[in-house]
Amino acid sequence: MRVTFTANGKPVEADDVWEGESLLYVLRERVGLPGSKNACEQGECGSCTVYLDGTPVCSCLVAAGQVQGREVRTVEGLTDENGELGLVQQAFIDAGAVQCGFCTPGLLVQTDALLDNDAQPSDTDIREALSGNLCRCTGYEKIMDAVRLASARKCAKAASE
């Protein structure tokens, strides 16, 4: 089947999609957006998190046919309007929250969603928002630091505008 949807603001079309293929597979293998990672294929790790119509979802659990005519935003779509790293992406780098990078795409999308809903989340809110994202490299403190840094920068940016 053919699946047509919008990915990161651009119309895309994937041909010869098997009805059982996941959105994750289509993004990585058919559309050329490899940022979302395939780790568990069970929706347990969060590495494949993308926005689907503005809501974070585990793309490994979404059948490709379900995205027909819908809007998908991946980690590649978190860049700013000039194609530069977005605020959350830069905060993760600056805080040293990126190690092997496998969990990072999902953490970035989930952090972006959190800060869109609450620009100044508490540590409890951060932990809750990221509870579906597993990282096997860190003790999560650098990730927490990155979310706090992104929050502070987002608030400072909003105050200066």
Side-chain angles (χ1 to χ4, degrees):
M1 78 176 144
R2 173 178 288 160
V3 179
T4 305
F5 58 99
T6 303
N8 301 325
K10 298 176 184 167
V12 295
E13 197 172 87
D15 289 321
D16 299 323
V17 174
W18 171 63
E19 62 188 36
E21 278 181 24
S22 69
L23 172 58
L24 175 62
Y25 185 86
V26 169
L27 290 171
R28 291 181 56 82
E29 305 299 330
R30 298 190 183 277
V31 180
L33 294 170
S36 303
K37 302 302 181 207
N38 184 3
C40 73
E41 296 184 0
Q42 297 176 0
E44 295 292 327
C45 72
S47 295
C48 67
T49 303
V50 300
Y51 284 107
L52 179 58
D53 293 335
T55 301
V57 298
C58 290
S59 61
C60 71
L61 297 179
V62 177
Q66 291 180 290
V67 301
Q68 178 66 36
R70 298 174 77 182
E71 170 69 34
V72 175
R73 187 169 167 222
T74 68
V75 67
E76 291 94 339
L78 297 183
T79 56
D80 68 15
E81 56 277 350
N82 299 318
E84 301 293 323
L85 290 178
L87 185 138
V88 173
Q89 293 166 312
Q90 191 62 54
F92 267 67
I93 291 169
D94 294 345
V98 178
Q99 288 197 14
C100 83
F102 215 77
C103 66
T104 306
L107 286 165
L108 290 169
V109 171
Q110 203 62 44
T111 298
D112 186 71
L114 169 65
L115 296 181
D116 277 351
N117 291 320
D118 182 0
Q120 294 181 297
S122 67
D123 282 0
T124 301
D125 294 334
I126 296 169
R127 284 186 186 94
E128 177 67 26
L130 302 182
S131 64
N133 296 79
L134 301 179
C135 176
R136 292 174 176 90
C137 297
T138 71
Y140 293 94
E141 199 52 44
K142 295 283 187 185
I143 294 167
M144 294 290 292
D145 291 344
V147 178
R148 291 183 201 110
L149 179 59
S151 171
R153 288 178 177 172
K154 183 171 184 166
C155 289
K157 182 179 178 184
S160 70
E161 293 177 346

